[in-house]
Amino acid sequence: MPANPAPLTAPTADDLRAWHRVQSAALAHDRPGEPVPDQEAVRGELTVPGVDSRRVLWLVRGRNGDAVATASLQLFSDPERARTADVGLTVHPAHRRLGAGSRLLATVVEAAARAGCRTLVANAAAGTTVEAFLGARGFSPALRLTHQRLLLDEVPERVRDRPDAPDSGYHLVFWPGAAPEHLIAGFARARGEAAATATGRLDLGPRCWDPARLRKAAEVVARRGERLLTVAALCGPPDGDAGEGAGSADGGIAGFTELVVPAPGAGHTARQYATAVLPAHRGNGLGLRLKAEMLRRLAADHPGITEVRTDTADDDRHMLAVNAALGFRAQRRTVVYRMRLPAR
């Protein structure tokens, strides 16, 4: 391994294939039975910038040219997160315990410090040597997550076959992509309130949302060839049968859930994104109604999708209970580690 790995500034098709090989080998070794990520999905993740963020990449090759390790550093331009960076580091199983991971992590940490970051965040599979690796290098555990899987043909019959029954308090609406114009301002307010009232968890996302950020987030998903789906609960009865996106003109959103469907040919697994019910509307069963309606939409509109995967903070007992009622089963656990960098 080179003494000072250089950032991968313009990844070629061969670089992306090599990156995919490292990731696939590590996944097969560490989590046998888990689906290997599609190569096109990996390309989209690495080459399509996120909302107000960019990635610095490292691909390390051995003396024979084979890929040895990969690393990514996600840097944020949003003032809320400008001093926090996400770190991802993977070493090919055949090259572990030879110093590659330590030297590559030191390179990434130095790059983060030069970029003005004060906090680094990294993930580790619970109970693995990666936890000890991070702990020995200044990281400490900050959040524990349970990863769950739902096979769509195992969704309970009471969820799968019963359409949502609107009541006088709320009704559900659905949209693909960005929120419709008459709802997007209300949706932005709901996203911001949900983020601001989240407690007991590591702050990993923006707390300030506006329509422009929502549109950019949907655009990022679309540029990756994926499809963003949203179901929201609106206050009051529906305003007639106006089709997709129908709802009250003021966008009084009480809760929402988001799902991302993979690009065509990129597998059969949908990924759960954010789900939240605003504090004033909790205790009314909206979380279960929202996610159940999303599953019915998914089965009807995307028959090629066979499973949904999600991760939930272990302290979010309500959402874990909602997921269990829908048929999700725990697959594995991860720990989010955090390291504070000294001021420069």
Side-chain angles (χ1 to χ4, degrees):
M1 174 177 171
N4 295 298
L8 187 64
T9 55
T12 65
D14 183 63
D15 291 330
L16 295 174
R17 286 191 293 268
W19 188 292
H20 182 259
R21 285 195 296 272
V22 172
Q23 298 292 316
S24 299
L27 184 61
H29 180 274
D30 299 335
R31 302 192 329 244
E34 289 278 314
V36 173
D38 178 82
Q39 187 167 310
E40 186 62 18
V42 171
R43 183 203 65 77
E45 180 181 355
L46 297 181
T47 61
V48 177
V51 179
D52 298 325
S53 72
R54 63 184 178 90
R55 290 180 186 269
V56 183
L57 307 175
W58 290 263
L59 173 65
V60 180
R61 296 180 183 271
R63 293 177 181 176
N64 61 358
D66 291 341
V68 170
T70 68
S72 68
L73 179 68
Q74 188 172 14
L75 301 170
F76 299 91
S77 58
D78 186 329
E80 292 183 82
R81 301 194 66 192
R83 292 190 174 275
T84 299
D86 292 346
V87 176
L89 190 150
T90 304
V91 180
H92 193 290
H95 297 275
R96 293 177 180 175
R97 300 184 183 276
L98 300 174
S102 297
R103 294 163 66 185
L104 185 53
L105 180 60
T107 298
V108 175
V109 170
E110 175 60 26
R114 288 198 306 270
C117 296
R118 296 294 302 278
T119 303
L120 296 183
V121 177
N123 289 275
T128 66
T129 57
V130 179
E131 287 201 83
F133 173 85
L134 293 174
R137 289 156 181 82
F139 286 83
S140 58
L143 179 68
R144 299 184 183 276
L145 300 169
T146 294
H147 295 251
Q148 297 172 296
R149 178 192 187 199
L150 172 64
L151 298 177
L152 293 183
D153 60 5
E154 294 183 2
V155 173
E157 186 175 328
R158 67 182 183 278
V159 174
R160 183 179 63 245
D161 298 334
R162 188 184 71 187
D164 182 70
D167 57 33
S168 59
Y170 308 94
H171 67 284
L172 305 187
V173 296
F174 164 83
W175 64 78
E181 285 302 311
H182 70 290
L183 291 179
I184 196 164
F187 188 38
R189 288 193 297 271
R191 288 296 301 256
E193 184 176 347
T197 57
T199 58
R201 301 174 204 169
L202 181 65
D203 183 11
L204 295 177
R207 291 180 178 267
C208 181
W209 287 85
D210 57 26
R213 179 187 287 277
L214 289 173
R215 293 188 187 97
K216 287 177 67 176
E219 180 185 352
V220 167
V221 173
R223 288 179 60 195
R224 292 173 179 164
E226 301 170 333
R227 190 166 175 82
L228 175 65
L229 311 177
T230 304
V231 173
L234 271 62
C235 301
D239 297 336
D241 184 13
E244 285 189 359
S248 59
D250 66 358
I253 293 177
F256 59 89
T257 187
E258 298 171 313
L259 199 73
V260 170
V261 175
H268 308 282
T269 300
R271 290 173 290 138
Q272 181 74 60
Y273 271 30
T275 299
V277 176
L278 274 60
H281 303 279
R282 291 172 185 168
N284 297 311
L286 282 180
L288 184 61
R289 281 181 62 186
L290 286 163
K291 297 188 85 166
E293 178 64 16
M294 179 66 83
L295 292 177
R296 287 189 285 267
R297 287 273 186 172
L298 185 65
D301 300 342
H302 300 275
I305 300 300
T306 59
E307 66 177 24
V308 177
R309 294 193 179 235
T310 188
D311 58 75
T312 306
D314 284 1
D315 65 358
D316 193 349
R317 297 186 179 278
H318 175 72
M319 193 54 63
L320 289 171
V322 167
N323 289 345
L326 293 170
F328 280 89
R329 299 180 182 180
Q331 295 294 110
R332 58 189 177 90
R333 288 177 169 81
T334 58
V335 183
V336 180
Y337 276 78
R338 176 172 54 194
M339 181 171 71
R340 304 290 191 185
L341 298 179
R344 286 198 164 193

